[in-house]
Amino acid sequence: MQPDIEIYDTTLRDGTQGHGITFSVADKLRIAERLDAFGVHFVEGGWPGSNPRDIEFFAQAKHRTFTRARLAAFGSTRRKEIRADADDQVKLLIDAATPVVTIFGKTSLLHVREVLQTTADENLAMIADTVRFLKSHGRVVVYDAEHCFDGFAEDRAYALATLRAAESAGADLVVLCDTNGGSLPSDIAAITRLAHSELRSRVGIHTHDDIGLGVANALAAIEAGATHVQGTINGYGERTGNCNLTAVIPNVHFKLKKSCVPPDSLRSLTELSQFVDETANLRPNPRLPWVGAAAFSHKGGTHVNAVQKVVSSYEHIDPASVGNTRHVLVSDLAGRSNIVMKAQELGIDLSAETPQLRSMLQQIKELEHRGYEFEAADGSLTLLLRRGMAAIPRPFTVDAYHVSMRSDGKTSVCEATVKVSVGGGTAHTVADGDGPVNALDAALRAALVTFYPQLQDVRLTDYKVRIVDSRSGTAAITRVLIESTDGVSEWGTIGVHENIVEASLEALVDSLEYALANPNRSAVR
Ligand SMILES: [Zn+2]
């Protein structure tokens, strides 16, 4: 059944123009399959005319089955003054053997004259010839009108003539592109409405986020008659990025109340967003609307109290509807409600009636006053709450350590020795490292793996140091935040001290203790 709004994903083509984004052919195939399973309608795989990797992608994609999405190859109209069937770049689009081909052409006379250095009529012929050629090969043809909104502002009659050239040659869809991303929703709506009324073919929208309006512009176009929207997962793309599909999709579904992807898929939106970030080897942006880790986080004590009573009081929608979760941040604004909700989120059995609650809250406030911050240190907070509930024996203690540095004037090496006790046994190890913390980490781990082989898989993924003014008004102190992983899950721990090595050791000890206390971590994928 035809949905109200078609979703066209260009993560694998426009998305890869983004800062720091590269995908191997295998990555692209995995993402394409994931997008297909999610239920987007089109997956644009790349531009075969621009690089060999994209040609290889299409060669391999031929042997895969896509059940929901149709694969599209992207390219440009023919070059000036040659036949479409003689243009290598156009021929590669046919070789890609996709059911859909998307080509872009010029809408703006300025670009026609200055960039293409050709005539207004030749540009119209380039559009029409290319569309006709692709149609004669049985392709569904999507025509992307580049710089469309700037073109309309410049010369409305000519801009419209370019869209008509594509339509009369048989284009199945005409997509209005805000290539520079600088348009306002009111202009997007007016021009989309005009194109929608002047053309017989369906109209689509392709926007960029240069002024922070990529999603707003796509929604404005949809309300003005567009039935097809192009964008990327997590808003990847050149400069500030493309229109973010992880925001467009739920907005179309929940806010505009129009059908797009299968309703069941909405609950895996957050997972899709994380999967694509993981494949791109990027840290997820916590502030992404709908799918970010902070999208449903509550910090202020009164908010948390209200959310606990009526979930809709500070949330525009149930986080589970897009597969996200509610987070409660524990901070010195924390009330009892924060602690109780946070404990539940961390899987600790704690209620407002728990007698130890008062002293735990007191302890957290005291620690935060000294410079601790538990928002990015769930691991340390979990240990703190568990210790507050019952006296738990520590799996190990660090009895002594020593760190030294030697240098021959060119290179320097740090050496750490650590003495730990585990039950009745002790271990004494020494290790080198790039710096004192690295050496300490290596020595501590080497000492403990003899007792706890499972620590072999644990490693540090991030280490952050910040000097904070002590709130008690004495000397400055150092706050160390460590992110660790066992390859399956991630956790954060914290240490605070005047001395950076002491602060680091505290965070390292918490990290390893957390790993030992949580052996049954479930897979995140
Ligand atoms: Zn674009």
Side-chain angles (χ1 to χ4, degrees):
M1 205 184 74
Q2 179 72 20
D4 296 333
I5 306 298
E6 279 175 354
I7 304 294
Y8 183 108
D9 180 280
T10 179
T11 307
L12 303 179
R13 202 270 309 167
D14 230 3
T16 62
Q17 306 290 317
H19 184 80
I21 310 229
T22 34
F23 293 124
S24 65
V25 172
D27 290 339
K28 284 185 148 210
L29 288 164
R30 285 200 316 147
I31 292 174
E33 283 176 343
R34 192 65 173 247
L35 289 166
D36 176 53
F38 180 78
V40 307
H41 308 98
F42 299 91
V43 173
E44 190 175 84
W47 185 350
S50 77
N51 65 74
R53 185 183 294 177
D54 285 3
I55 293 177
E56 175 63 23
F57 167 82
F58 288 112
Q60 293 199 27
K62 276 177 208 171
H63 309 294
R64 312 272 174 133
T65 322
F66 295 92
T67 52
R68 286 165 155 169
R70 282 185 288 178
L71 208 56
F74 178 88
S76 126
T77 53
R78 68 161 171 82
R79 281 181 287 128
K80 60 183 178 186
E81 291 142 26
I82 67 168
R83 292 162 51 102
D85 62 10
D87 187 317
D88 289 339
Q89 185 265 147
V90 175
K91 283 195 281 186
L92 284 170
L93 291 170
I94 298 299
D95 296 344
T98 54
V100 181
V101 172
T102 300
I103 50 157
F104 75 93
K106 300 283 186 201
T107 323
S108 149
L109 260 184
L110 178 85
H111 280 261
V112 170
R113 294 196 176 123
E114 304 297 324
V115 181
L116 291 183
Q117 303 200 319
T118 188
T119 63
D121 284 345
E122 173 63 2
N123 179 52
L124 296 178
M126 286 158 67
I127 296 168
D129 289 353
T130 318
V131 171
R132 214 173 285 120
F133 173 74
L134 295 169
K135 285 308 291 179
S136 75
H137 282 79
R139 299 300 190 266
V140 169
V141 177
V142 176
Y143 176 70
D144 274 7
E146 197 194 29
H147 298 293
C148 180
F149 297 92
D150 304 326
F152 265 87
E154 241 172 75
D155 186 333
R156 174 167 298 214
Y158 184 74
L160 206 48
T162 65
L163 305 186
R164 285 216 174 92
E167 178 184 69
S168 342
D172 297 273
L173 207 84
V174 173
V175 179
L176 317 181
C177 302
D178 187 27
T179 309
N180 294 349
S183 301
L184 290 168
S186 48
D187 295 329
I188 298 272
I191 290 164
T192 306
R193 204 170 290 119
L194 176 77
H196 179 56
S197 67
E198 293 286 331
L199 299 174
R200 290 180 312 280
S201 70
R202 287 174 44 228
V203 172
I205 182 74
H206 175 116
T207 59
H208 281 258
D209 204 33
D210 292 78
I211 55 173
L213 294 173
V215 172
N217 282 342
L219 298 183
I222 288 170
E223 289 188 296
T227 55
H228 165 114
V229 56
Q230 303 191 343
T232 62
I233 300 300
N234 300 330
Y236 291 178
E238 216 164 348
R239 308 183 304 276
T240 59
N242 279 58
C243 168
N244 182 0
L245 288 181
T246 60
V248 163
I249 290 169
N251 279 324
V252 167
H253 183 91
F254 293 110
K255 306 294 178 178
L256 298 182
K257 307 215 182 304
K258 291 178 185 287
S259 63
C260 56
V261 298
D264 293 349
S265 291
L266 269 297
R267 286 183 179 270
S268 58
L269 187 68
T270 301
E271 216 181 307
L272 174 69
S273 159
Q274 290 169 352
F275 171 80
V276 173
D277 272 341
E278 259 177 55
T279 309
N281 201 18
L282 293 181
R283 268 182 183 277
N285 173 4
R287 284 187 298 279
L288 273 189
W290 298 92
V291 296
F296 300 95
S297 289
H298 302 284
K299 183 168 179 177
T302 55
H303 285 207
V304 173
N305 196 283
V307 167
Q308 216 174 16
K309 288 179 188 139
V310 189
V311 271
S312 61
S313 56
Y314 284 93
E315 285 175 355
H316 67 91
I317 202 157
D318 177 9
S321 62
V322 287
N324 207 338
T325 40
R326 181 172 304 123
H327 290 283
V328 177
L329 304 175
V330 173
S331 74
D332 57 5
L333 300 173
R336 290 161 171 251
S337 319
N338 289 51
I339 306 270
V340 171
M341 284 182 80
K342 187 73 201 177
Q344 283 164 0
E345 185 193 321
L346 296 171
I348 298 168
D349 188 21
L350 186 79
S351 76
E353 280 72 48
T354 305
Q356 299 94 322
L357 185 59
R358 198 187 169 83
S359 63
M360 284 184 202
L361 185 58
Q362 201 50 45
Q363 194 192 357
I364 289 170
K365 288 195 171 180
E366 172 68 24
L367 287 169
E368 297 206 325
H369 184 68
R370 280 167 47 198
Y372 285 79
E373 213 178 75
F374 291 101
E375 281 165 22
D378 271 5
S380 291
L381 184 66
T382 305
L383 293 172
L384 189 146
L385 294 177
R386 287 217 187 111
R387 288 172 198 144
M389 296 285 284
I392 301 164
R394 307 291 284 257
F396 62 91
T397 51
V398 177
D399 299 328
Y401 74 90
H402 175 84
V403 179
S404 62
M405 196 184 104
R406 57 179 192 278
S407 171
D408 61 7
K410 286 190 196 112
T411 53
S412 59
V413 177
C414 277
E415 187 187 272
T417 50
V418 177
K419 195 176 160 207
V420 293
S421 340
V422 179
T426 59
H428 202 158
T429 50
V430 58
D432 283 348
D434 293 335
V437 176
N438 188 232
L440 202 55
D441 176 42
L444 187 58
R445 221 167 281 265
L448 288 171
V449 284
T450 42
F451 302 97
Y452 301 113
Q454 66 268 43
L455 292 179
Q456 205 100 49
D457 298 331
V458 176
R459 62 190 168 79
L460 264 55
T461 54
D462 203 4
Y463 173 84
K464 280 190 218 109
V465 178
R466 181 171 292 181
I467 307 299
V468 281
D469 285 330
S470 159
R471 287 170 220 184
S472 54
T474 52
I477 49 154
T478 305
R479 178 197 295 150
V480 169
L481 282 168
I482 285 177
E483 281 283 320
S484 310
T485 182
D486 56 4
V488 178
S489 59
E490 289 196 339
W491 60 95
T493 51
I494 187 169
V496 171
H497 201 272
E498 289 88 30
N499 181 315
I500 185 174
V501 179
E502 280 285 348
S504 304
L505 181 67
E506 186 187 357
L508 283 170
V509 166
D510 263 11
S511 164
L512 297 172
E513 204 169 322
Y514 180 87
L516 291 170
N518 294 273
N520 300 316
R521 289 173 294 278
S522 56
V524 286
R525 283 188 201 191

